[in-house]
Amino acid sequence: MKTIVLAGATSGSGLAVTRALIAAGMRVVATGRSADRLQPLADAGARTDVADATSLDDMIALAERLASDGLAVDAVVPLVGGWRGGGGLAGQSDEDFTALLPSLDAVRATSRAFDAALRASDAGRFAIVSSTAVARPLAGGANYAAVKAASEAWTRAVAQGFAKTARDAGEPLRAASVVFRAKALDPESLAPRIVGLWDADAAELNDGVIDLE
């Protein structure tokens, strides 16, 4: 049974993905900062952990707890999101930019904390949810597009790390790092794509961008 960590999973997307993964016979570990908001995920069958997806310390502690419980992690999907924008370039405030940064922080923290676990898996997967705004940024969404672009760059660096590790070891590539892009995220379209991350070999998926539209 594959174990999937959904970090920052208390949104509608987190619940939809949790239900789809469990229906596919996978184990879900869902994190959030509020036990109350995690309850629907627990009711859906997920193991829940109160932990901040943007905190490297929290994510390392979670990785250690799972390892001590004998759970090998096969995939990590940070789901911290949010949008702020409008007002043209002049309207791109520092406050809005700061409010958007947690999504990048979660990508960084989760990928670092679970890097060794994903490399050790027979089919490790790291996936983020990005936006079509990266390909066509608008002045009114410059803050948002910049944060998403940085998240994609980090995820591509994770992909390069997976490839280099396999190459240096003279082994087949088993781990893949993937970007999902959506214009307006529909949880019901994201869920089957995450379930399907194991339908293709890592070599086909790694460093890929998958359009959810």
Side-chain angles (χ1 to χ4, degrees), residues 29-171:
V29 179
T31 81
R33 292 181 293 179
S34 163
D36 288 343
R37 293 188 66 193
L38 283 169
Q39 190 57 50
L41 297 158
D43 293 342
R47 165 175 170 164
T48 58
D49 276 82
V50 176
D52 184 351
T54 70
S55 165
L56 179 60
D57 288 343
D58 277 16
M59 290 298 100
I60 289 175
L62 174 61
E64 291 173 347
R65 285 197 299 275
L66 296 178
S68 69
D69 290 344
L71 296 181
V73 174
D74 300 291
V76 177
V77 184
L79 291 171
V80 177
W83 187 86
R84 290 197 184 190
L89 201 63
Q92 303 305 291
S93 70
D94 290 347
E95 291 78 11
D96 284 350
F97 186 71
T98 299
L100 291 166
L101 279 176
S103 63
L104 173 59
D105 292 337
V107 171
R108 296 181 66 247
T110 55
S111 62
R112 294 168 70 193
F114 288 96
D115 185 57
L118 295 178
R119 293 172 191 265
S121 170
D122 288 338
R125 300 290 187 264
F126 182 76
I128 72 163
V129 180
S130 185
S131 170
T132 55
V134 172
R136 190 175 183 273
L138 304 177
N143 279 333
Y144 179 75
V147 170
K148 288 299 186 183
S151 296
E152 289 198 13
W154 186 277
T155 303
R156 295 193 66 193
V158 173
Q160 191 276 334
F162 288 162
K164 184 177 187 302
T165 295
R167 185 171 61 250
D168 290 350
E171 297 177 350

